Amino acid sequence: RKFQEKHGLIGYVFAWDEERERLQVIIRYITKLQNMRMRLRAMGRNIEERNFINKIHVNIELLDEEIKKFKTELVEEAKRLFPKEMKLLCGTRGIGEDTVALILSESKGIERFSQSKSFVAFAGLDPSIKQSGVSIHGKSHMTKSGSPILRKRLTWSAKLLVQWNPVFKQRFEYDIQRGKPVGVAYGI
C-alpha cells in the first residue's frame, strides 16, 4: 500500500496528475495552431489580391511564433517531468527534443509500460488479425486504436531514424532485402 501511495500507483495503472495532463493540452493546442496555419497557407495560394495575401502572411507569422512558444514550453515541462527519458531519447541521432517531449507527453510517460508490446498497442501500431476459428484471413493492418498524434510522430520518427542513424538504416535495408514491405521494415 505504501509503495502504491509513494509511486502514484492505483492497482496497475499510474495516477495521472494535472501537470502531465497539461502537457497533453499543450499538444492539442499546438496541433490546432498547426492546422490553422496549414489552412491559411492553402487559402493564400488560391487568392490573387496582394493586400489579402499580405494579411494572410502576417497571420501565418503570428501562428508560427505562437507554435514556437508552446513547443518551447512543452519541451521545458517534459524535461522537468521526464528528465531521464528526455536525456536518453534525445541522445539518439535523428530524434529531437520536440519529438521526445511529444512522445513522452502523449504516452503519459514510458514508465507506465512494462513491455514494448504494451507501448506499441497504446500507440495503435499493433497488427490486427482477421481470424475465424483457427483460420486467418487476409493481410493484417495496424489497429490505429491509440492516439493519432502519437502514431503520426512515431511514424515520422522511424523514417527520420532510418535516414540519419546508421544502425537503423542498416536494419531497414536488411529487412527490405528479406522482402518485407516498406512499412514493416520501418517498424510501423
Side-chain angles (χ1 to χ4, degrees):
R1 184 86 181 143
K2 288 181 181 179
F3 180 82
Q4 289 178 342
E5 291 171 6
K6 181 179 177 186
H7 296 285
L9 290 170
I10 301 172
Y12 292 107
V13 181
F14 277 83
W16 191 243
D17 56 19
E18 288 181 21
E19 289 182 319
R20 292 181 180 194
E21 195 171 299
R22 186 171 172 275
L23 292 176
Q24 288 191 318
V25 171
I26 293 171
I27 291 169
R28 300 295 180 269
Y29 192 63
I30 290 169
T31 303
K32 286 180 182 180
L33 291 173
Q34 288 172 334
N35 289 338
M36 288 170 60
R37 180 181 57 182
M38 192 170 54
R39 283 193 299 268
L40 279 173
R41 282 201 173 135
M43 192 185 304
R45 285 187 222 116
N46 298 331
I47 297 174
E48 295 180 16
E49 188 179 326
R50 195 69 174 140
N51 187 29
F52 210 64
I53 291 174
N54 289 338
K55 288 180 182 180
I56 288 175
H57 284 293
V58 167
N59 284 322
I60 289 172
E61 288 174 11
L62 290 172
L63 285 171
D64 286 340
E65 288 174 21
E66 195 76 5
I67 290 168
K68 186 177 179 180
K69 181 179 87 174
F70 279 104
K71 278 186 175 181
T72 303
E73 185 178 348
L74 178 69
V75 169
E76 294 304 315
E77 284 294 308
K79 281 181 180 177
R80 189 175 64 76
L81 293 172
F82 308 107
K84 290 189 299 186
E85 293 89 343
M86 284 291 290
K87 187 174 183 178
L88 176 71
L89 293 172
C90 287
T92 306
R93 186 171 183 214
I95 300 181
E97 287 182 332
D98 289 356
T99 299
V100 173
L102 187 137
I103 290 169
L104 291 172
S105 301
E106 270 298 302
S107 65
K108 302 173 185 169
I110 292 178
E111 75 274 2
R112 295 175 355 117
F113 305 99
S114 59
Q115 300 177 355
S116 60
K117 289 180 182 180
S118 303
F119 179 75
V120 169
F122 179 81
L125 295 171
D126 56 330
S128 66
I129 299 171
K130 296 176 184 171
Q131 184 173 340
S132 174
V134 291
S135 61
I136 298 173
H137 304 286
K139 292 172 34 174
S140 63
H141 301 280
M142 284 190 298
T143 60
K144 297 186 180 181
S145 60
S147 163
I149 296 171
L150 177 60
R151 191 169 41 258
K152 181 179 177 182
R153 189 54 64 105
L154 287 170
T155 302
W156 278 105
S157 296
K159 291 176 181 181
L160 289 172
L161 279 170
V162 167
Q163 182 179 355
W164 295 106
N165 194 310
V167 174
F168 287 93
K169 185 174 187 169
Q170 183 179 9
R171 177 59 193 217
F172 175 78
E173 290 170 352
Y174 172 75
D175 286 343
I176 292 292
Q177 286 176 353
R178 288 183 47 215
K180 294 199 178 214
V182 175
V184 173
Y186 275 124
I188 302 168

